[in-house]
Amino acid sequence: MTQQPTTAPIPWTTIGMVVAWYGSNIGVLLLNKYLLTNYGFKYPIFLTLCHMTACTLFSYIAIALMKVVPLQTVKSKVQFAKISGLSVVFCFSVVCGNVSLRYLPVSFNQAIGATTPFFTAVFAFFIIKKREAWLTYTTLIPVVTGVIIASGGEPSFHLFGFIMCVTATAARAFKSVHQEILLSSEGERLNSMNLLLYMAPIAVTCLLPATLIMEENVVGITIDLARKDVKLIWYLFFNSSLAYFVNLTNFLVTKHTSALTLQVLGNAKGAVAVVVSILMFKNPVSLMGMVGYALTVLGVILYSEAKKRYS
């Protein structure tokens, strides 16, 4: 009688990291939505500034003081210029995403966000001439079709919010493609934690004047609101801290799991965020919207499988 091979149990630390990754990702998304709509804090650029300030502070503590990962230094002005360009695109995508949450429910926001592979494939094709197998491109059809169906069936559809969300999704894809180009050489490549350490303060310097110009007197308004309800300060602090822990837990989960596991967890995370947001905010959903989102997620899974098989 042959003994069946036993699979090693998943370490509890890995399970804890995945739970923390889910919690921070979904938590920051839902709290952004709550602050920008339900609470009435209508300042998405200032909110992003708070996020980037927290990322700057916590990145320094984690790397320079706690040595969570080794410090990687910027070796040239050219490398710094590349990181600065990435940072501008990064904070632009975050601002657009936060703006979209003022107008769209989280469920629809996540459906649009799931089309990131489509924009990544398009930018990779035109910018770095990266070609995929025809079957891989075919799997992108349900990704886009699903969003079109979801848009037609979305009871809370808002054109400006939709444009902002699509822009944020495209900007994220653009950043990932350009990151592959700009930091491609071995000497310039940085891990995600060190990259955030350098990008976050650059983002702060970009967002600070944008906040002062586009959201006039937001600091004074925030202080006045906090005097009336001190919980606002805790909301902003907790929300900004979560924004950093999204990056930290993403790095740790990537380090301790396989690429395939990460893809599966990422696809499931979006679905969990949709369900939790509907339960929390009770936004109306239609059958057509759910079918559209399901079709988009199916397309993303098929795209991941096709890319893995034919690359």
Side-chain angles (χ1 to χ4, degrees):
M1 184 175 178
T2 58
Q3 186 175 0
Q4 294 292 327
T6 57
T7 56
I10 301 173
W12 280 104
T13 51
T14 303
I15 295 173
M17 288 173 193
V18 171
V19 171
W21 183 47
Y22 268 50
S24 57
N25 268 270
I26 297 171
V28 75
L29 182 67
L30 297 179
L31 196 47
N32 282 348
K33 176 64 178 174
Y34 174 75
L35 283 168
L36 293 168
T37 55
N38 298 61
Y39 191 86
F41 187 77
K42 300 175 180 179
Y43 305 100
I45 303 176
F46 179 69
L47 184 62
T48 309
L49 175 62
C50 293
H51 289 181
M52 292 301 106
T53 303
C55 286
T56 300
L57 177 63
F58 287 131
S59 291
Y60 179 79
I61 293 171
I63 297 175
L65 302 181
M66 298 178 65
K67 314 292 184 185
V68 173
V69 294
L71 175 66
Q72 295 174 289
T73 57
V74 175
K75 296 181 172 62
S76 66
K77 291 181 180 178
V78 173
Q79 186 186 12
F80 180 76
K82 291 177 179 180
I83 293 171
S84 299
L86 286 174
S87 181
V88 171
V89 177
F90 172 61
C91 71
F92 176 72
S93 69
V94 176
V95 168
C96 288
N98 285 339
V99 170
S100 73
L101 284 172
R102 280 193 61 191
Y103 304 97
L104 299 178
V106 172
S107 51
F108 189 42
N109 180 282
Q110 288 294 285
I112 299 169
T115 62
T116 301
F118 167 76
F119 290 104
T120 303
V122 170
F123 287 133
F125 182 87
F126 287 106
I127 297 174
I128 60 177
K129 311 299 180 186
K130 186 177 180 181
R131 306 290 190 268
E132 304 285 357
W134 68 268
L135 189 61
T136 305
Y137 289 122
T138 303
T139 61
L140 291 171
I141 295 173
V143 173
V144 178
T145 305
V147 170
I148 294 171
I149 294 171
S151 301
E154 175 54 51
S156 306
F157 182 84
H158 189 285
L159 181 59
F160 180 71
F162 176 78
I163 292 170
M164 285 293 99
C165 194
V166 170
T167 303
T169 305
R172 278 197 300 271
F174 185 77
K175 173 187 168 286
S176 67
V177 172
H178 267 263
Q179 187 170 323
E180 188 178 333
I181 304 168
L182 297 178
L183 303 177
S184 57
S185 66
E186 196 62 39
E188 291 186 336
R189 192 172 294 129
L190 302 173
N191 63 44
S192 60
M193 295 301 294
N194 275 274
L195 187 59
L196 183 66
L197 174 68
Y198 295 113
M199 286 202 309
I202 297 170
V204 169
T205 60
C206 295
L207 289 166
L208 186 57
T211 301
L212 296 175
I213 294 168
M214 300 176 71
E215 296 178 342
E216 192 176 350
N217 198 32
V218 64
V219 176
I221 293 169
T222 303
I223 292 171
D224 287 341
L225 289 171
R227 283 174 179 157
K228 296 173 185 174
D229 183 8
V230 74
K231 291 197 295 292
L232 176 62
I233 299 298
W234 293 108
Y235 286 148
L236 291 174
F237 175 76
F238 184 57
N239 183 241
S240 301
S241 301
L242 280 179
Y244 170 74
F245 282 102
V246 167
N247 294 278
L248 174 63
T249 54
N250 185 71
F251 172 79
L252 293 173
V253 170
T254 304
K255 186 178 179 181
H256 289 86
T257 61
S258 67
L260 177 61
T261 303
L262 196 65
Q263 284 179 358
V264 173
L265 290 171
N267 292 330
K269 176 170 61 66
V272 172
V274 167
V275 172
V276 174
S277 71
I278 291 171
L279 293 174
M280 176 178 282
F281 297 112
K282 295 180 171 51
N283 56 281
V285 290
S286 65
L287 178 61
M288 187 185 296
M290 289 189 289
V291 169
Y293 180 65
L295 185 60
T296 295
V297 172
L298 176 62
V300 171
I301 294 170
L302 292 174
Y303 172 78
S304 301
E305 288 299 312
K307 193 172 181 183
K308 182 176 64 175
R309 180 171 298 183
Y310 294 106
S311 60

